[in-house]
Each structure stands twice: as structure tokens, then as C-alpha cells.
Amino acid sequence: MIIGDACHEMAEGEILNEVLTHVPLYKCTIYGDRVLSAKLSKRLSCAIKHLPIRLKFNYNSSVEDAIALGIRKDPTLVLDGKIFIEGLIQAEDITRRFEEMLHK
């Protein structure tokens, strides 16, 4: 079952799969420049919209904040305060990582 509309760039504060109120809500922040962050958010919206997960999106383009967290690649997804995805990886890899996380 696919929730939501076609793949799209997620807006600041938007919640992916917001109707799935029975599953946990994860806070994610995408660090990096605007263009790469937009690409990663679109891939995320495509890759995991079918999974039983909710993500609240935020963006941070501060180099200083990224360095303080130990981020080395642009863009980087931080999930609930931990580095989860570094770089602009393929949608299939994003799906696999989230499936692994959900099955732990």
C-alpha cells in the first residue's frame, strides 16, 4: 500500500506518511546545500513512503552545525539525532536501510 502522492521534495516541517498515527514519528534533519538536500528529500519521499514509518522533515544548511555533529558528506540525513545516511545514495539503498532499521 502506497501512502501519499507522487514523489516530491519534502517541505520544512512536513511529515511523510502523517496519516499513519499508529507508528512512531521520527525527526529527521537533512544537512547540506539546498540543491543536494532537495534531491535527498525527494528520494526519501519515493523510497520509504510505502513503509510503516512517519518522518518529520527539517533542513539545516549550517556548515558549523554539520561539523559539530561530525558530518563529512553533503547531503546527510540525521535521524533522531544520529547520522543515518551520508551522501546522495540511490533510492534502493535508502529503502534497504530503513527496512533494516524497522526490523531491529
Side-chain angles (χ1 to χ4, degrees):
M1 173 174 82
I2 295 177
I3 306 293
D5 297 326
C7 305
H8 67 284
E9 178 184 344
M10 301 298 293
E12 177 79 23
E14 184 175 353
I15 298 174
L16 179 67
N17 293 337
E18 66 182 336
V19 299
L20 299 180
T21 57
H22 63 284
V23 298
L25 174 64
Y26 294 90
K27 294 178 183 176
C28 71
T29 302
I30 298 177
Y31 288 83
D33 75 48
R34 181 75 186 109
V35 172
L36 292 175
S37 294
K39 287 181 181 182
L40 180 57
S41 80
K42 186 173 183 179
R43 285 187 190 178
L44 279 162
S45 77
C46 292
I48 64 173
K49 66 182 176 183
H50 67 284
L51 295 177
I53 189 169
R54 291 184 302 152
L55 289 182
K56 182 174 184 179
F57 280 78
N58 293 296
Y59 296 91
N60 189 328
S61 59
S62 168
V63 174
E64 293 83 9
D65 290 351
I67 290 170
L69 286 174
I71 292 171
R72 301 172 305 203
K73 291 186 179 179
D74 209 14
T76 291
L77 173 71
V78 173
L79 187 64
D80 282 349
K82 297 179 184 170
I83 295 174
F84 191 71
I85 293 173
E86 289 187 288
L88 193 58
I89 65 174
Q90 297 298 315
E92 296 82 11
D93 294 327
I94 294 170
T95 302
R96 182 182 44 77
R97 289 188 189 190
F98 274 93
E99 287 173 340
E100 290 170 356
M101 179 196 81
L102 290 171
H103 291 105
K104 283 186 181 180

